Amino acid sequence: MKTLVMKFGGASVASPEHFSRIADIIVSRRKEYERVTIVVSAMGNTTDQLINLAKQVNPNPPRREYDMLLSAGERISIALLAMALAKKEQEAVSFTGSQSGIITCAHHAEARIIDVKPYRILAALDSGKVAIVAGFQGVSENKEITTLGRGGSDTTAVALGVALRAEKVEFFKDVPGIFNADPKCDPAAKLLTNLSYSEALAIIKQSLHVRSFVGPVNSCVETIICAQERSLSPILHYE
């Protein structure tokens, strides 16, 4: 069956209205793909707020508790997105990283994925539901909650794309294309029309989790980065 993984970042889920908007995109894609899995980040600046909160309590928080706190942001997003889809009469079920079978090493705050066992996701997809997964997080072999580092939701999406044998992994971004610098920080950033793989990798190191771009190259997963405002218009396509 045709399988799609879609990833929405924090800017895509920044408000209640945003959840309704991306729910429409998901419902539209569901017409083409029998199995759809969504990976979402924490809302807006939630992760930064949680980091600041942790440091107010303890400037050097224990890494285990740090991961426990930060992983809460994505759990909020997955539940709200499932609610938004239910309102549009699309059955969906949300999963934390551990429930999704994202197995990582034991290195807190910068864990690496070592295996993916998406049994519960597959069961949900087989029953006709959209699976919604909390990005950025997993569980170690010692059953401890871990996080993958900043931008780790991108890696979650690609890892699931490989594990689920998805035809595509689509990343939805809140910019009109790929720039040579962050357009939110540099007003002189230039929109690029063509990129080699090495050029894309150099730029992506500044924004996407670099492991998420190397992953599809090594596993032949088709990766598309889309401009959210144009819904499904690809702005970077690697196959």
Side-chain angles (χ1 to χ4, degrees):
M1 290 188 286
K2 291 184 68 177
T3 301
L4 174 68
V5 175
M6 305 169 72
K7 188 267 177 175
F8 294 92
S12 299
V13 293
S15 71
E17 293 74 20
H18 282 75
F19 282 100
S20 179
R21 192 179 309 157
I22 68 171
D24 287 333
I25 296 175
I26 294 165
V27 169
S28 175
R29 296 304 269 152
R30 184 68 175 74
K31 296 175 183 177
E32 181 178 353
Y33 289 88
E34 297 164 279
R35 294 179 168 189
V36 176
T37 298
I38 313 301
V39 176
V40 289
S41 300
M43 295 177 65
N45 296 321
T46 298
T47 300
D48 288 334
Q49 293 170 0
L50 291 173
I51 290 171
N52 291 334
L53 181 61
K55 292 184 176 180
Q56 289 177 43
V57 173
N58 183 342
N60 186 26
R63 296 291 90 180
R64 178 189 184 278
E65 307 310 328
Y66 183 84
D67 278 358
M68 188 68 75
L69 176 65
L70 263 57
S71 64
E74 282 72 20
R75 293 202 297 273
I76 293 170
S77 294
I78 60 175
L80 291 174
L81 182 54
M83 295 175 191
L85 285 166
K87 186 177 180 181
K88 297 179 186 295
E89 300 185 347
Q90 171 60 62
E91 284 191 287
V93 59
S94 62
F95 298 104
T96 65
S98 59
Q99 290 173 327
S100 302
I102 307 293
I103 313 301
T104 76
C105 69
H107 190 87
H108 285 292
E110 283 288 344
R112 285 184 172 269
I113 296 173
I114 59 177
D115 198 5
V116 181
K117 300 178 179 179
Y119 304 127
R120 296 186 66 179
I121 294 175
L122 288 169
L125 296 175
D126 287 343
S127 67
K129 298 177 181 177
V130 169
I132 306 171
V133 176
F136 173 67
Q137 61 186 256
V139 63
S140 72
E141 292 179 301
N142 295 326
K143 309 299 182 185
E144 295 287 355
I145 298 299
T146 56
T147 62
L148 307 179
R150 296 304 297 236
S153 293
D154 299 323
T155 300
T156 300
V158 171
L160 285 172
V162 174
L164 298 172
R165 298 184 179 182
E167 277 75 16
K168 294 179 182 178
V169 178
E170 294 178 342
F171 294 83
F172 286 79
K173 298 296 178 180
D174 62 339
V175 291
I178 301 294
F179 290 77
N180 64 344
D182 186 347
K184 298 176 183 177
C185 301
D186 183 357
K190 295 181 180 179
L191 181 65
L192 304 174
T193 56
N194 294 287
L195 283 173
S196 68
Y197 169 70
S198 59
E199 291 170 336
L201 183 59
I203 292 172
I204 283 171
K205 284 181 178 178
Q206 305 172 37
S207 54
L208 283 175
H209 217 220
V210 66
R211 282 176 265 164
S212 71
F213 198 66
V214 175
V217 174
N218 294 332
S219 57
C220 300
V221 175
E222 184 178 356
T223 303
I224 299 177
I225 300 178
C226 300
Q228 186 180 322
E229 292 304 317
R230 289 182 285 164
S231 294
L232 303 175
S233 303
I235 56 178
L236 177 62
H237 184 178
Y238 181 83
E239 183 174 0

